[in-house]
Structure formats: structure tokens, C-alpha cells
Amino acid sequence: MTVVEKELGPEMVVCKDVNKWYGDFHVLKGIDVTVREGEVIVILGPSGSGKSTFIRCINRLEEHQQGQIVVDGTELTHDIRNIQEIRREVGMVFQQFNLFPHLTVIDNVTLAPINVRKWSREKAEEVAMRWLDRVGIPEQAQKYPGQLSGGQQQRVAIARALAMEPKILLFDEPTSALDPEMIKEVLDVMRDLAKQGYTIMAVTHEMGFAQSVADRILFFDEGKIVEENTPANFFTNPKEERTKLFLSQILNH
Amino acid sequence: MESNSGISNIFAKLFDIRVLGVIAQIVGAIVVALTVSWFVGNVAGNLESLGEAQFICEDGTVAYRCAYDFMDSAAQFDVAETSFGMSYDNSDSYWRAIGVAAVNTIRVTIIGCILTTILGTLVGIARLSKNWLVANVSKWYVDLFRNTPLVLQLVFIYFSFFLALPSIKEAAENSNYVFLSNRGINYPSLVPTESFRVLAIFIGLGLILAYAIWLVLGRREERLGGTTNRAIWAPVSLLLFAVVGWFVANASAAGNQVMLVNNASGITGLDNVSQVVADRFGVEIADLGGIQAQVDAGDIDQKTFKDGRLNVCAARGSLEAANIDSELRALAIPYSISRVKDADKAFQDYAAGKCDVLAAEQGFINEMSATLEDATSFSIVGIPERPLRLSLAKLEGLNFAGGGKMTPEFAAILIGLVLNTGASVGEIVRAGIQAVSKGQTEAARAIGLSEGQRLRLVVLPQALRVIIPPLTSSYLNLAKNSTLAQIVAFPDFWTVIFTTINQSGRAMQGMLLTMLFYLTLSLIISAFLNWYNQRVKLVER
């Protein structure tokens, strides 16, 4: 079943029977997922299916109430040291960018390396410039986020996440708040990262991206993983009725 | 037809926004000019009707510039309270009275703003707490104090709380260190003696060094990365300097402090005071601690007790009184310090045989002891001096001596202003924190910042921009609302001006001074906060 083309490393994220409730509402119903190093996972599903909540549980922006999440060998518990340890190794890119508006682009990118990794400013800035270069906006380093376009801001956010040299990258609908013509520039950066062998978990609605980049697709509905499949099979030969319905709705509009 | 179109042309022009703008400007200017001329006319008219009586100069001529000459004459009313030990009595001039009152207002304002900031910050954070009790108690507090008049709050705090407290005597029986009575709050204080200057120099040097270490290590962190534990090294170096300074100051203090001892008492120094007192009561030194209990039980009568204990004469509020008080307290013997209004009076009491020991400045003792007839009747003995002495409030006669004191009037206006303004500042702080979006917190957490770093580096810099401008208004409100001190009889600037106006009949002069004073005060506060606001804003752009 698992037609894996690339050589995969050790387990990076292991989720076992993860459950979460908002009050009485059961958002995540026993999620089991294992992500290996270098794997690119795309999470699809209708809105309200719990896919964003799940991805946000991995770095404890949301708390799971039952089950086990192990990231790079560290279990996510209530121990603040574990949480900090995991957050250092997991980078995240948000739908709304969430750049720090009071800091310049370069300061946004160097903030965590200087204060968390305790790098010298010189080293942090050097690394930051390298990443800004990589995402294609080195000339914007001294500007403030408010002076950039949405696509540029999202690329800064990606550079900010990468500057911490994370082992895993989480993308939470990174292109949903962007104008159509800016979506491509962000997807190109993500595609590039995937090629470089980054471990990526991305929630997105970009079917083209999912089809061409993902190693595996997780399809969420009503808090459960309804289908787990390779992109080729997922789009052309889905196993589940729910998946077919979903695909017919998004592909026929 | 043509003229008709001309008129409609002009009429149409009236709706041109550029023309409308010019018209609005002209109307505005006319209104301002009319208002100003009305004010000027009003003042001129009032001056006219006041007649010449208020403007007579010393040489008998009449001129407006002499309007404030009356301020040089004696005020002849009391100002119940002064700040920072400023002296005032009713033979001082009106200027002096108003100056003392101005300092009172400034004291209330500064302490009030500081306490308001602390309270408001705590309340603002508490209102956002997930703890139901904390969030709701702070919400009720804010609602209560924002929705009732400040006057009512002041009246309640002053009359229903402070004036309803127990009498001094009851307060003294019920507690040991802090006394809440209907005469105010008495609390322990630290008194710096002469040698404190040496300690202060060391602490100052320590602060400079600590700051330098902080900067140098900070720069090192930036350059080389890693952590240098500067948060530990800087305070340690300060502490080191303070400890060394303490010993140096003690050494430098040798011989600063002396007491004049009546030889007949048999005292030769602090080392045999305990023995002398024990002999007087006919007990062992170890049993001296029990004397007070025996007096309370009636086994020793008051007269024997008063004669037997060590009696000291000193000037009220003097360093020497605080110093010897500390030394005697450490000996744990029955003693009494009779604090009189000045050193001269203390010396007279000593000469009249009212006490065993006189504590006063060395120079004063040398000079005055020479006037004593019998040169063999006394000796001058050194007492150890410490740079800082703890002074405890203690009931002596009908009042507390030693320690610090806050009058009920000052406490009432201060607490009233702080509680009232604190409620609005709490809302401002809450708004400021809420203005920083949840996404900022999530992003800060996601890149691995600790909670402290998140607040310091991400939330605060953004919240402060929102907080500072309305905070300025709150501070200004506090400063101006301090005029309500009149209600609780605290002699602030307005209260004293009011008395001055009543007594001298110079209403206009008083009003002008009041406007000038509060305008200056407000401008200084705004200028300070604007400067701070600029600094905070610079971080942004």
C-alpha cells in the first residue's frame, strides 16, 4: 500500500489515539498517525473537521486530553520543559502570518534564534539573511511587516520558522488568507522545502500542491481520519464514499 | 435668465467642499475671537469692580503688578500637614503656605500615580484571568469604583473608615509594629544616620558597576551568543558593594554619636547600662525582661518603674533619638525616650534632672555641657552608630513616637485617588493586552519563546503603544482630582488657596494661581508621558 519513493528516516511524530474535546464537542476522535523524517504529509478535509486543531496539538497551541503525542522522542506532557523542547524543534506557519508588527523583518526572523537558541546577533542575522534569500526577499530585511504584501509576509513567516532550524514544519492553511496571485510564490517556497527533504505537515486546500508534493494525504472528517492514502490513489481512486463526495464538491465548483 | 443662472452658480459654489472648508474656518475664527474678547472683558470688568484696594503697592501707588503683594504677609492660618519635613507655622507668609501645600499636592500626585500604575496593572491582568474568583472580584472592583462618584468614595474612606478606627491607646494594645488608629497609620521606618552618606556612595558605585556589568555582558551575549548569567552577576556585584559599604560606613561612624551621661546614675557606657538598671530594680540582668509584666500586674508601682528605667532625653525626630533607641531596644531593658521639640529643650530637661542620659549631636553636647556648673557631674560617652537605624513607632504619653506616620487625611485622599483611578487604569491595561491579537501569542509560543520572553519581547511592546495615551489622561485626572482633598481636610494646593481666598478676599489672584499651578503640573505629566510614548513608538517604526 505505502508506495514510498524516497528513503524515509526515523519516526518524527507519533500520535496514538489522540482525543480532544471543546466542552461537550468531541473535536478529535482517536487520531493515530506516524510521520517519518523527510515525509511530506498533507491534511485535507472540510472545514470544522478538526484538521487545524490536530496540527496545533503537535506543538501544544491546543492541548489534547487523551492519548499520546511524541515528537522527536519527546512526549508532549504538561511538563513545561518538554513543551519548550518540542516547540524549539517544531516550526509553524499560520494562516494569518502572525508576524510581530513592532519588529523589522530581520528582527522577526532573529528573535527566537537570539533569545531561545542564544546565538550571537551576528550569527543569527547571517542565518536569517540566508533564509530571506532562500524565500526570495532579502531586500525587504529592514522593512516592517506592515510594509509588505501578504505573500511577502507569509514568506517572512516561513523564514522565521526555518531560522530556528526545526526538525518539523507545520503549515496551518498558509495560503488561505492570500490573494490568488500571491499563492503561487508561497507554494513555490513550500515545494522547494519539500524537495530539500524537510519533514512537513500541512493543512491546506491547495489540491494541486497536495497532488504534486505530498507523500501521503490524510483526509479528516468529523474529527476522524477517514482516509489515508497516496496522492495518486487519493485523487483518482479514493477508498471511501466520504472522500468521493468531498472531491466531487471541490473539483466541480 | 442670465442673472438667474448667475445666482444659481453662486448658490452651487456654496456646496463646493473647498468653499465650505473656508467658511468653516472663518466661522471658527469668529467664535474664538468672540470668546477671547468676552474673557478679557470679563477679567477687566472684575478688576474694575474690585476697586483699587487690592492693588496698592508698598509705596502707596496703585498698580496691577502689586496684586500679589499681600502674599508676603503672614498667613495666620495653620497648615495641618507638611511633606518631607518642611517647616511651616502660621507666622509664615502666604507664599510659604501655598508652597508647602503645592508640595503636598505633588506628593499625593506622584505617590498616587505610582500606586495607581501598580494597582491598575494587577487589576487589568486579573480581569483577564481564567480563575473565576480573581476575574470577578476585579470586575466588581472596577464596576464599583467607576460607577460611583469619587466624592462619595472619599467621604466613605475618610469618615467611615479612618475616623472610625480605634483610638491610639487601643491600637497600641492590639498590634506591635503597624498601628491603625483614628489618628492615622504609624509604621516602622528606616532612619539614615550621618554615616549613611558613606553607604550611599558605595551603593551608588555598586549600581554603576552592576549596570556596567549588565551592559558589557549583554554586548558579549550579542557578539558571541550563549548566556553569561548577567542577571546573577549584576545584582551580586551590587550586593557585594553594599556589604563592604556597610562595614566601611560603620568604621567611619566611630565617634559620630555621643551621649551626655549623668555620673550620679553610675552609667559609664552602653555596656553597663543593663547592670545599672537591674541594680535599680534589684534584679538580675536576665530578669529585666520581666519588669514590664510586673508593672502590668501591679507588683511594681508606676513611680518605681519610671524612676528605675533608663530615662533618655532627645529631640523629636532627631537621628540621635533613632540611634540610641535602636541600641537600647537591642539591650531589652526598660527604657523611655522623652522626645521634646528640640535639642535645647532636651538639654534643659537633662539639666533639670529629668533624665539619666541626653542624646544629641556631638558639637551641641560639647558646647552645652560646658555651661553646666559642676564639671564632674557628667561624662560624654560614645555610642555606636549604624548607617541605617530601624525606628519603631511606640506609644509614649498620648501619642506615638518614632517610626513613620501617615495622617488619616493623607491616607484617605491617597487611597481614594488610587482606588478610583486604579479602576480606569485597570480597564486601560486590559484593553492594551487584548489589543495584541491571540495570533501574536501563538506565534511567540510556536517559535519557542518562554512565557516571560513572550510578554517582554512581543506582548508588552505592542500593548504599551495602546496603553500610554489613555494612561496619560488617567494620570492627569488623578492630579486634578487631588483637589478633592478639601473634602477630607488634607491641606493640598486647592484647600490652602481656598483658605487664602476666604481670608484675604483676593479671589481672582487665587484662581489665577490655581490655574497656573494645575496647568503646569498637567503639562509636566503630559510631557513626561509623551516622551515615554515616543520611546515606545520608536520601537515600532
Side-chain angles (χ1 to χ4, degrees), chain B residues 89-416:
Chain B
D89 69 63
N90 57 19
S91 62
D92 282 330
S93 69
Y94 282 111
W95 280 125
R96 177 85 193 168
I98 288 170
V100 163
V103 176
N104 279 345
T105 289
I106 291 168
R107 177 166 64 129
V108 168
T109 306
I110 292 177
I111 300 179
C113 284
I114 294 170
L115 294 182
T116 297
T117 311
I118 296 171
L119 177 69
T121 309
L122 293 178
V123 170
I125 293 169
R127 283 214 55 182
L128 296 171
S129 166
K130 283 180 191 149
N131 182 313
W132 186 89
L133 190 69
V134 171
N136 274 282
V137 166
S138 46
K139 182 179 175 319
W140 295 328
Y141 155 70
V142 169
D143 284 345
L144 182 68
F145 280 87
R146 284 213 316 174
N147 297 320
T148 53
L150 177 54
V151 172
L152 180 74
Q153 294 162 17
L154 286 172
V155 166
F156 182 83
I157 291 168
Y158 183 56
F159 292 99
S160 310
F161 181 72
F162 277 105
L163 294 191
L165 284 170
S167 69
I168 283 188
K169 204 152 173 266
E170 285 172 69
E173 282 164 6
N174 292 336
S175 73
N176 288 322
Y177 297 105
V178 177
F179 306 96
L180 270 167
S181 70
N182 56 11
R183 302 276 288 278
I185 307 170
N186 290 77
Y187 49 88
S189 66
L190 282 174
V191 180
T193 58
E194 215 168 308
S195 56
F196 179 73
R197 270 177 300 180
V198 177
L199 178 60
I201 290 171
F202 271 86
I203 290 179
L205 288 175
L207 277 173
I208 294 171
L209 181 71
Y211 186 59
I213 288 179
W214 181 262
L215 285 184
V216 168
L217 290 186
R219 216 159 284 162
R220 197 183 143 86
E221 275 181 20
E222 270 209 9
R223 212 176 57 245
L224 300 174
T227 177
T228 53
N229 290 326
R230 59 180 180 157
I232 297 172
W233 290 118
V236 161
S237 62
L238 173 61
L239 193 69
L240 206 69
F241 260 74
V243 170
V244 172
W246 177 265
F247 286 109
V248 174
N250 272 328
S252 78
N256 267 1
Q257 293 269 338
V258 294
M259 59 184 182
L260 183 62
V261 180
N262 187 342
N263 282 344
S265 65
I267 297 170
T268 57
L270 281 175
D271 42 1
N272 83 335
V273 163
S274 301
Q275 190 59 54
V276 168
V277 175
D279 288 348
R280 286 187 194 168
F281 285 109
V283 296
E284 296 295 317
I285 293 178
D287 298 330
L288 278 173
I291 295 284
Q292 186 63 47
Q294 292 184 41
V295 175
D296 292 342
D299 295 343
I300 297 178
D301 66 72
Q302 284 292 332
K303 168 106 178 60
T304 318
F305 176 64
K306 283 184 176 166
D307 290 345
R309 72 185 175 188
L310 182 75
N311 289 300
V312 181
C313 287
R316 192 178 303 143
S318 65
L319 299 181
E320 294 75 20
N323 195 53
I324 198 165
D325 190 14
S326 270
E327 285 295 327
L328 294 176
R329 196 186 315 128
L331 291 176
I333 58 168
Y335 71 97
S336 157
I337 299 177
S338 145
R339 292 169 217 244
V340 292
K341 89 171 180 322
D342 56 23
D344 284 322
K345 178 80 174 75
F347 179 74
Q348 284 165 24
D349 285 353
Y350 170 83
K354 286 189 187 166
C355 40
D356 307 305
V357 163
L358 169 70
E361 279 173 31
Q362 189 169 21
F364 178 81
I365 284 187
N366 286 342
E367 186 189 328
M368 297 307 285
S369 61
T371 68
L372 287 173
E373 280 166 24
D374 185 356
T376 60
S377 72
F378 62 86
S379 42
I380 298 172
V381 178
I383 337 172
E385 177 188 307
R386 303 274 172 270
L388 274 173
R389 285 295 200 184
L390 180 67
S391 176
L392 294 182
K394 197 174 156 200
L395 187 63
E396 256 165 41
L398 295 173
N399 232 323
F400 285 105
K405 183 186 181 187
M406 200 189 267
T407 63
E409 292 76 27
F410 178 76
I413 184 67
L414 181 69
I415 293 173

Side-chain angles (χ1 to χ4, degrees), chain A residues 56 59 61-62 84 87-88 90-92 94 98-103 111-112 115-116 118-122 144 146-147 160-161 164, chain B residues 221-227 437-440 442-451 453 456-458 461-462 465 538-541:
Chain A
R56 288 155 57 85
N59 64 352
L61 291 185
E62 303 280 354
Q84 293 294 66
R87 283 178 179 165
R88 275 196 291 272
V90 177
M92 185 158 196
F94 300 87
N98 295 342
L99 293 177
F100 305 127
H102 61 298
L103 298 177
L111 188 71
N115 288 287
V116 180
K118 303 286 179 195
W119 290 353
S120 67
R121 177 169 291 280
E122 198 185 352
Y144 285 89
Q147 298 165 307
R160 178 176 69 178
M164 281 292 279
Chain B
E221 275 181 20
E222 270 209 9
R223 212 176 57 245
L224 300 174
T227 177
S437 75
K438 205 161 161 268
Q440 294 289 307
E442 290 185 346
R445 286 186 176 146
I447 56 173
L449 296 183
S450 69
E451 291 302 284
Q453 289 172 329
R456 186 164 54 85
L457 300 169
V458 175
Q462 296 185 59
R465 300 179 310 185
L538 270 182
V539 181
E540 184 202 3
R541 209 134 286 187

Side-chain angles (χ1 to χ4, degrees), chain A residues 82 105 124 177 188 230:
Chain A
N82 282 10
V105 164
D188 284 345
T230 56

Side-chain angles (χ1 to χ4, degrees), chain A:
Chain A
M1 176 66 245
T2 42
V3 189
V4 179
E5 290 155 14
K6 36 182 169 176
E7 192 76 10
L8 291 180
E11 293 172 346
M12 288 304 290
V13 180
V14 180
C15 300
K16 281 189 190 142
D17 192 31
V18 173
N19 280 279
K20 177 173 177 61
W21 289 263
Y22 285 126
D24 288 337
F25 181 53
H26 201 169
V27 217
L28 297 178
K29 301 171 182 165
I31 306 292
D32 286 296
V33 178
T34 300
V35 181
R36 292 180 168 278
E37 193 177 50
E39 215 176 353
V40 178
I41 306 285
V42 169
I43 301 172
L44 299 175
S47 60
S49 60
K51 52 192 191 311
S52 274
T53 307
F54 169 64
I55 207 173
R56 288 155 57 85
C57 279
I58 290 167
N59 64 352
R60 218 3 124 80
L61 291 185
E62 303 280 354
E63 188 185 322
H64 63 286
Q65 282 124 3
Q66 220 180 70
Q68 200 184 25
I69 298 179
V70 180
V71 181
D72 193 25
T74 309
E75 187 181 350
L76 201 51
T77 60
H78 289 286
D79 190 325
I80 184 77
R81 289 165 302 182
N82 282 10
I83 297 175
Q84 293 294 66
E85 169 70 29
I86 287 171
R87 283 178 179 165
R88 275 196 291 272
E89 304 307 333
V90 177
M92 185 158 196
V93 177
F94 300 87
Q95 181 178 355
Q96 300 295 340
F97 329 137
N98 295 342
L99 293 177
F100 305 127
H102 61 298
L103 298 177
T104 57
V105 164
I106 185 98
D107 286 342
N108 263 280
V109 180
T110 57
L111 188 71
I114 288 175
N115 288 287
V116 180
R117 291 257 188 257
K118 303 286 179 195
W119 290 353
S120 67
R121 177 169 291 280
E122 198 185 352
K123 180 182 174 192
E125 283 184 354
E126 193 191 305
V127 171
M129 282 315 294
R130 214 160 60 217
W131 284 116
L132 288 176
D133 207 32
R134 184 84 168 269
V135 299
I137 40 173
E139 72 284 355
Q140 312 285 1
Q142 298 307 325
K143 288 194 183 162
Y144 285 89
Q147 298 165 307
L148 304 185
S149 73
Q152 289 172 326
Q153 288 194 44
Q154 193 61 298
R155 284 187 280 160
V156 173
I158 293 173
R160 178 176 69 178
L162 288 167
M164 281 292 279
E165 300 183 338
K167 295 188 171 137
I168 303 152
L169 276 171
L170 307 177
F171 289 89
D172 186 4
E173 305 199 18
T175 55
S176 300
L178 294 176
D179 292 339
E181 72 269 29
M182 291 171 180
I183 291 177
K184 187 178 175 296
E185 63 188 50
V186 171
L187 287 182
D188 284 345
V189 171
M190 290 171 65
R191 210 167 260 136
D192 185 37
L193 293 172
K195 254 183 249 158
Q196 301 295 320
Y198 273 90
T199 312
I200 291 175
M201 294 177 79
V203 173
T204 180
H205 295 299
E206 299 300 328
M207 296 302 149
F209 177 79
Q211 206 156 10
S212 60
V213 179
D215 294 317
R216 223 174 348 143
I217 288 177
L218 307 182
F219 178 65
F220 268 63
D221 188 44
E222 293 182 345
K224 279 187 281 215
I225 297 179
V226 175
E227 179 162 351
E228 188 177 339
N229 216 332
T230 56
N233 286 335
F234 183 85
F235 286 104
T236 53
N237 189 18
K239 292 181 282 190
E240 304 290 333
E241 281 307 312
R242 184 67 188 86
T243 315
K244 286 174 191 160
L245 180 66
F246 175 75
L247 288 174
S248 71
Q249 276 166 346
I250 54 162
L251 298 177
N252 293 338
H253 67 84

